[in-house]
C-alpha cells in the first residue's frame, strides 16, 4: 500500500516531521519553521472549555424503533408508524465532576438523546432519575456552585453540599434517590433514563397532552455500593466508558424500552401534585406507563472529542408534535443549554457532523461567524422575506399554545393539594426494603456527619423527619454515632 504524503494544513508536503529547523546543528530553533509553529499552535488549541456540568461523558450511535401506536397523542413524524426507525446519538454523563473525574461516583447521570428525524433533530435531555434537586432554573447556578469545587479549598466541601440542601427542602426527594441504592449505576447500560421534565405532545387534530418519558433498561438495573464504587474508581476511572465501548465492540448492543406517561391538558390544573414541578413524580397508579418503542445502541464514535465532547444537546430542539410545558426548570434550560454550546463550540456548532441533521437539511439564513460552512446555494440571500426563492415559514406551529393568565412577577409555583416538599420523599422511603433503608441512612449520614456546623446538620435532619418519622430518627441517630467516633 502506497503511503500518503504528510502535508501542512494548507496542503504543502512536509519534508521532515522528526526534526525542527535550527540555525546550524545544535543551534536555536528558527521562527521560519512554519510546520513547527503550526503544529504547536494547533496542539495548544486542541481542547475547548469543558462543560460546566455534565463534563465527563460517553456516547454512542444507534436507532429508535416504534413498537406501539401513539398517533392519538402526537403528530411527530418519527413516531407515526410502527416499525419506523430513526437514527440517534446518545451521551451519558456524570453531573458534578470535571472532565477528568471518575465514572463510578455517587452522582446523577445525564441521559441525552438526539433523534435525527426527517423533520429535524429532536433533543431529549434528561437524567437517570425522574426528579431533580430544584424546581426553578434561577437556583441552578447556586446549586451547581454548592456541589462543585469550593473556590478557596479547591475541592468539594460537605459543608457547601449540605448547606444548600438544608436551605432547599424541595431537594429532599432527589437526595433520597441519590443516596439510595440507585445513586451509583454499575454502568451506563444498567440504568434507566428519564426525560424528567414534563413535555407537551400535540396530535394531528391539535389536541394537546402532557407527557413524561421513561427509558427502561433491557439489561436490568444494576448498581454499586459505596465500597464497590470506591474500589472500581481506583482501578479504572473510566469504568463506564470502558464498559459501553467494549460491549458495543463485542456486538452486545445495549437497549432501552421507551414508555411515556400521558396526562390530558385539562387534568393538569387539578392534579394533586403540580405536574410541572421537577421535584415530583406522577405516580404510575395515576398515569400508567404506555410503551412507545425501543432504543438500541450499536455503533461507537470514531473520535471521542469530535463526536462526544462536541455533541450539543438543547431541549429547545423540538419537532412538530412535541413542545415544552410550563415547567420552570425546563423553561430556563431552553435558553441555557443552547447558550452553553454557543460559548463552548461557537455559533455554528450545529454544522458539526454529530449535531447536524442527518435525515433532512437545515435551511435558514444563518451565515458567517467562526467556522461558518459554505454549504449554501451560490449567491443565496441572507435575509427573509426575499424575492429569490429562499426558505419560507410554514405557518404551522410545532405544538399547541400554552395558556397564560395573571400579572407578570416573580411568582412561586402554584401549590396543588399534595404539593409539600416531603410527601413523595417519604413515599419513596416507605417503598424501600429494610436493607435499602439501612444503606440509604448510612450513605446520608456518612456525608452529613462531615459537616462542621450544627445548624446545617439540624436543618437537614428536619427534612428527613418531615418526610418520614422513622427516616429522620434513623438518620439522626447514625449522624450522632459518626460524630461521636
Amino acid at each position: 500500500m502506497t503511503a500518503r504524503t504528510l502535508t501542512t494544513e494548507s496542503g504543502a508536503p512536509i519534508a521532515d516531521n522528526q526534526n525542527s529547523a535550527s540555525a546550524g546543528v545544535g543551534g536555536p530553533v528558527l521562527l521560519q519553521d512554519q510546520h513547527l509553529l503550526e503544529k504547536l499552535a494547533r496542539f495548544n488549541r486542541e481542547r475547548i472549555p469543558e462543560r460546566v456540568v455534565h463534563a465527563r461523558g460517553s456516547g454512542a450511535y444507534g436507532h429508535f424503533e416504534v413498537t406501539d401506536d401513539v398517533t392519538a397523542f402526537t403528530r411527530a413524524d418519527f413516531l407515526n408508524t410502527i416499525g419506523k426507525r430513526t437514527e440517534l446519538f446518545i451521551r451519558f454523563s456524570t453531573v458534578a465532576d470535571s472532565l477528568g473525574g471518575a465514572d463510578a461516583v455517587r452522582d446523577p447521570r445525564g441521559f441525552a438523546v438526539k433523534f435525527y428525524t426527517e423533520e429535524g433533530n429532536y433533543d431529549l435531555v434528561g437524567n437517570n432519575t425522574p426528579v431533580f434537586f430544584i424546581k426553578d432554573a434561577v437556583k441552578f447556578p447556586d446549586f451547581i456552585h454548592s456541589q462543585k469545587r469550593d473556590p478557596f479549598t479547591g475541592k468539594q466541601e460537605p459543608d457547601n453540599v449540605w448547606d444548600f440542601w438544608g436551605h432547599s427542602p424541595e431537594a429532599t426527594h432527589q437526595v433520597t434517590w441519590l443516596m439510595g441504592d440507585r445513586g451509583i449505576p454499575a454502568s451506563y447500560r444498567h440504568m434507566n433514563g428519564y426525560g424528567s421534565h414534563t413535555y407537551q405532545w400535540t396530535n394531528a387534530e391539535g389536541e394537546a397532552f402532557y407527557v413524561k418519558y421513561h427509558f427502561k433498561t433491557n439489561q436490568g438495573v444494576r448498581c454499586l455500593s459505596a465500597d464497590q464504587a470506591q474500589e472500581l474508581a481506583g482501578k479504572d476511572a473510566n469504568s463506564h466508558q470502558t464498559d459501553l465501548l467494549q460491549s458495543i465492540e463485542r456486538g452486545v448492543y445495549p437497549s432501552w424500552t421507551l414508555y411515556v406517561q400521558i396526562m390530558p391538558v385539562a387534568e393538569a390544573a387539578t392534579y394533586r401534585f403540580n405536574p410541572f414541578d421537577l421535584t415530583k413524580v406522577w405516580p404510575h397508579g395515576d398515569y400508567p406507563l404506555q410503551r412507545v418503542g425501543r432504543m438500541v445502541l450499536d455503533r461507537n464514535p470514531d473520535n471521542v472529542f469530535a463526536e462526544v465532547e462536541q455533541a450539543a444537546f438543547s431541549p429547545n430542539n423540538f419537532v412538530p408534535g412535541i413542545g415544552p410545558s410550563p415547567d420552570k426548570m425546563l423553561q430556563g434550560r431552553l435558553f441555557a443549554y443552547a447558550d452553553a454550546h454557543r460559548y463552548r463550540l461557537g455559533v455554528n456548532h450545529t454544522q458539526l457532523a454529530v449535531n447536524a441533521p442527518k435525515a433532512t437539511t437545515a435551511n435558514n439564513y444563518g451565515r458567517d461567524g467562526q467556522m461558518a460552512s459554505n454549504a449554501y446555494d451560490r449567491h443565496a440571500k441572507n435575509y427573509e422575506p426575499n424575492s429569490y426563492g429562499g426558505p419560507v415559514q410554514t405557518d404551522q406551529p410545532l405544538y399547541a399554545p400554552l395558556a397564560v393568565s395573571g400579572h407578570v412577577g416573580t411568582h412561586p409555583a402554584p401549590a396543588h393539594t399534595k404539593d409539600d416538599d416531603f410527601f413523595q420523599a417519604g413515599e419513596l422511603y416507605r417503598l424501600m426494603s429494610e436493607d435499602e433503608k439501612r444503606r440509604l441512612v448510612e450513605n446520608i449520614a456518612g456525608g452529613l456527619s462531615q459537616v462542621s456546623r450544627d445548624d446545617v446538620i439540624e436543618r437537614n435532619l428536619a427534612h428527613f423527619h418531615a418526610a418520614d418519622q422513622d427516616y429522620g430518627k434513623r438518620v439522626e441517630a447514625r449522624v450522632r454515632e459518626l460524630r461521636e467516633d
Side-chain angles (χ1 to χ4, degrees):
M1 181 176 177
T2 304
R4 292 178 296 164
T5 299
L6 180 66
T7 74
T8 64
E9 293 184 25
S10 60
I14 294 171
D16 191 342
N17 191 44
Q18 319 305 320
N19 305 286
S20 54
S22 60
V25 177
V29 170
L30 298 176
L31 187 62
Q32 72 182 42
D33 189 341
Q34 186 264 353
H35 174 51
L36 170 67
L37 269 58
E38 180 180 83
K39 196 172 182 181
L40 293 180
R42 167 169 281 279
F43 180 76
N44 287 344
R45 293 162 175 80
E46 279 185 353
R47 293 296 171 261
I48 57 179
E50 69 174 43
R51 290 169 169 86
V52 177
V53 289
H54 297 279
R56 172 68 186 158
S58 302
Y61 292 94
H63 66 266
F64 178 79
E65 181 174 350
V66 178
T67 58
D68 294 78
D69 184 4
V70 292
T71 55
F73 307 107
T74 178
R75 63 186 176 96
D77 181 77
F78 79 105
L79 299 175
N80 68 5
T81 305
I82 292 176
K84 188 169 191 174
R85 286 191 175 190
T86 299
E87 185 180 355
L88 60 83
F89 181 78
I90 188 168
R91 186 177 186 271
F92 306 105
S93 57
T94 54
V95 174
D97 215 339
S98 60
L99 186 58
D103 287 340
V105 294
R106 187 173 299 279
D107 197 15
R109 299 300 191 276
F111 196 101
V113 187
K114 185 181 295 292
F115 298 90
Y116 299 106
T117 88
E118 295 174 0
E119 298 181 300
N121 291 352
Y122 172 46
D123 291 353
L124 182 58
V125 188
N127 284 328
N128 72 326
T129 59
V131 294
F132 197 60
F133 299 93
I134 53 177
K135 63 182 75 174
D136 194 311
V138 76
K139 297 184 70 172
F140 188 74
D142 299 299
F143 164 64
I144 293 300
H145 287 163
S146 74
Q147 308 298 299
K148 292 181 76 72
R149 296 177 185 271
D150 181 88
F152 173 67
T153 66
K155 59 189 182 75
Q156 191 180 51
E157 292 291 347
D159 278 6
N160 300 358
V161 171
W162 289 97
D163 185 37
F164 183 88
W165 288 345
H167 284 287
S168 306
E170 70 270 26
T172 308
H173 192 186
Q174 173 71 322
V175 170
T176 305
W177 269 89
L178 179 63
M179 296 298 173
D181 280 359
R182 295 196 179 190
I184 315 177
S187 79
Y188 290 131
R189 296 182 298 127
H190 293 93
M191 68 181 193
N192 294 333
Y194 303 88
S196 300
H197 294 288
T198 298
Y199 293 92
Q200 184 207 88
W201 276 7
T202 309
N203 65 19
E205 289 71 40
E207 187 180 10
F209 303 86
Y210 290 124
V211 300
K212 283 187 175 289
Y213 294 90
H214 301 251
F215 289 87
K216 299 291 188 179
T217 175
N218 294 321
Q219 291 68 238
V221 172
R222 287 179 48 200
C223 303
L224 302 172
S225 69
D227 289 342
Q228 289 173 325
Q230 186 175 29
E231 180 180 357
L232 180 59
K235 288 181 177 178
D236 181 7
N238 306 300
S239 56
H240 290 32
Q241 163 70 11
T242 301
D243 176 85
L244 182 65
L245 174 74
Q246 292 183 351
S247 67
I248 294 175
E249 288 294 291
R250 294 196 311 269
V252 181
Y253 301 138
S255 67
W256 288 257
T257 300
L258 173 61
Y259 299 86
V260 292
Q261 291 176 285
I262 300 176
M263 174 189 293
V265 165
E267 297 180 12
T270 57
Y271 186 48
R272 56 187 173 134
F273 305 110
N274 181 349
F276 313 118
D277 182 346
L278 186 55
T279 68
K280 305 287 196 306
V281 297
W282 303 352
H284 293 178
D286 295 345
Y287 296 98
L289 297 180
Q290 301 187 45
R291 193 176 65 176
V292 180
R294 179 182 174 89
M295 177 175 73
V296 179
L297 303 182
D298 55 14
R299 180 165 67 88
N300 284 311
D302 293 322
N303 184 296
V304 171
F305 176 79
E307 298 166 89
V308 179
E309 185 65 11
Q310 293 194 125
F313 299 86
S314 300
N316 58 356
N317 286 342
F318 294 115
V319 292
I322 302 178
S325 77
D327 179 337
K328 294 183 80 173
M329 269 295 291
L330 173 60
Q331 292 283 323
R333 294 175 80 202
L334 297 181
F335 162 75
Y337 272 60
D339 189 58
H341 303 317
R342 294 184 190 106
Y343 160 67
R344 293 182 62 246
L345 303 170
V347 71
N348 289 305
H349 66 273
T350 55
Q351 296 176 14
L352 296 171
V354 69
N355 300 322
K358 296 185 183 298
T360 186
T361 302
N363 292 307
N364 56 57
Y365 294 92
R367 301 287 192 276
D368 307 338
Q370 288 184 333
M371 301 301 292
S373 168
N374 63 353
Y376 299 101
D377 293 338
R378 191 165 179 261
H379 301 160
K381 303 302 180 183
N382 65 345
Y383 59 88
E384 195 278 337
N386 65 61
S387 305
Y388 297 88
V392 297
Q393 65 195 39
T394 66
D395 293 321
Q396 297 178 357
L398 299 188
Y399 45 84
L402 299 174
V404 296
S405 63
H407 301 282
V408 171
T410 54
H411 306 291
H416 292 228
T417 56
K418 286 289 187 181
D419 268 344
D420 66 78
D421 293 320
F422 309 109
F423 176 79
Q424 289 199 355
E427 291 282 273
L428 178 59
Y429 176 79
R430 289 184 286 274
L431 284 173
M432 295 180 180
S433 68
E434 184 57 33
D435 283 344
E436 288 174 322
K437 290 177 180 177
R438 176 181 53 78
R439 290 189 292 269
L440 169 67
V441 168
E442 192 67 29
N443 291 333
I444 292 174
L448 190 54
S449 63
Q450 299 178 49
V451 173
S452 63
R453 290 180 48 158
D454 291 341
D455 62 322
V456 174
I457 294 175
E458 292 301 322
R459 191 176 294 117
N460 280 278
L461 290 175
H463 296 170
F464 301 123
H465 280 290
D468 182 274
Q469 186 177 9
D470 178 67
Y471 190 6
K473 287 173 60 177
R474 291 170 69 163
V475 173
E476 182 173 4
R478 185 58 180 145
V479 168
R480 187 181 300 112
E481 290 175 2
L482 291 172
R483 285 172 65 82
E484 289 173 353
D485 285 349

